[in-house]
Amino acid sequence: MQRRIVLLGPPGTGKGTQAARLCLSLKIPHLATGDLLRSAMKRDTLIGRLVRPFMDTGNLVPDDIVITMLKEAMGPLQGYLLDGFPRTVAQAESLKDAINKVILIDTPAEVIEKRLSARRICSQCPAVYNLDSNPPTKDGICDGCASALIQRIDDMPETIQTRQRRYWQDTAPLIDYYKKAKILWTIDGGLPMETVTVGIMAAVETENG
Ligand code: AP5
């Protein structure tokens, strides 16, 4: 069976970090709606201009825009790992039968707040660092491409709060949605990165019950 996996969980729980590791190991493409949207903003496309006010304030981009963008990126792919999608019941409905495993990475809010405040990203390549748990070798410089590290605009304290609120209001109902479908597995995201990866891999290899 093709692997069609969703990584679910609050902002900063480690979806992107774990997705990169899993996709390497499982050899499936990583589709992250946050990355697709940030790329559209960087290229200053029409969609990029439309979504900027939502992204910069930590609010959800309207369903029709995200669903269309994701479907385009999925194209004819048979296996994939989705990171950051679905985020609403309407988005989940748009994927009916196209998902066979959902991994919820569950992390306490206070841990998340610390992690997001300490996150730094490369201004040029996809590398992600953390000043506490995964610092770069040289302050402010990407180990991979030597470009400057920056802070995501939505990692400012007020915006972090809005993103958390949106998660609990709009996305958390998906926990029950996928529990009912019997395809949800929950992993403790407060543990070290390696331990989280081991837990997710075990869930991925176990049959749904
Ligand atoms: P998106 O880019 O998806 O952001 P997010 O869900 O808020 O998630 P993050 O990227 O902030 O966190 P993450 O869980 O990937 O954690 P990470 O691995 O980086 O979305 C951004 C915006 O786009 C949304 O707010 C919305 O506007 C829009 N959007 C996107 N998808 C949408 C959709 N479907 N519908 C509508 N709007 C949408 O880790 C965080 C930090 O912690 C890093 O520094 C990392 O190094 C560190 N870390 C990770 N794991 C650990 C660990 N186990 N221990 C210690 N440190 C760790």
Side-chain angles (χ1 to χ4, degrees), residues 9-18 33-35 37-38 51 54-56 58-63 66 83-88 91 115-116 118-120 128-131 133-134 152 154-155 163 189-194 196:
T13 198
K15 300 182 297 295
T17 302
Q18 296 299 331
T33 41
D35 291 345
L37 292 162
R38 276 185 291 278
V51 303
F54 299 96
M55 308 255 317
D56 284 357
N59 285 294
L60 293 188
V61 168
D63 285 334
V66 193
D83 159 7
F85 188 100
R87 260 176 154 99
T88 62
Q91 291 179 20
R115 276 190 196 166
L116 288 180
R119 173 164 62 183
R120 296 294 180 275
V128 177
Y129 297 87
N130 191 282
L131 300 182
S133 58
N134 179 28
R152 256 171 59 172
D154 59 349
D155 279 347
R163 288 160 67 202
L191 299 171
M193 289 179 204
E194 315 298 330
V196 177

Side-chain angles (χ1 to χ4, degrees), residues 45-203:
T45 63
L46 179 61
I47 296 286
R49 271 174 260 151
L50 267 173
V51 303
R52 183 179 290 281
F54 299 96
M55 308 255 317
D56 284 357
T57 54
N59 285 294
L60 293 188
V61 168
D63 285 334
D64 52 345
I65 298 181
V66 193
I67 292 171
T68 307
M69 186 175 245
L70 180 78
K71 291 267 161 101
E72 260 177 47
M74 285 169 94
L77 288 175
Q78 292 299 309
Y80 35 77
L81 184 144
L82 303 183
D83 159 7
F85 188 100
R87 260 176 154 99
T88 62
V89 171
Q91 291 179 20
E93 292 284 320
S94 80
L95 282 183
K96 267 236 177 290
D97 304 323
I99 295 302
N100 48 37
K101 178 121 4 188
V102 178
I103 310 281
L104 168 65
I105 311 180
D106 201 15
T107 307
E110 59 280 9
V111 175
I112 282 176
E113 201 166 331
K114 248 186 103 198
R115 276 190 196 166
L116 288 180
S117 313
R119 173 164 62 183
R120 296 294 180 275
I121 60 167
C122 179
S123 52
Q124 299 304 324
C125 80
V128 177
Y129 297 87
N130 191 282
L131 300 182
D132 299 321
S133 58
N134 179 28
T137 312
K138 259 194 193 169
D139 266 5
I141 305 289
C142 177
D143 290 352
C145 71
S147 303
L149 300 185
I150 54 171
Q151 198 167 12
R152 256 171 59 172
I153 195 162
D154 59 349
D155 279 347
M156 300 302 154
E158 255 182 52
T159 319
I160 293 175
Q161 299 300 330
T162 307
R163 288 160 67 202
Q164 297 282 356
R165 269 201 308 277
R166 298 255 54 111
Y167 173 77
W168 288 108
Q169 190 174 314
D170 301 317
T171 309
L174 293 179
I175 298 172
D176 265 353
Y177 180 94
Y178 285 122
K179 246 186 214 163
K180 281 190 189 128
K182 296 192 175 17
I183 57 172
L184 183 89
W185 294 75
T186 303
I187 304 294
D188 182 353
L191 299 171
M193 289 179 204
E194 315 298 330
T195 316
V196 177
T197 309
V198 171
I200 296 178
M201 280 309 285

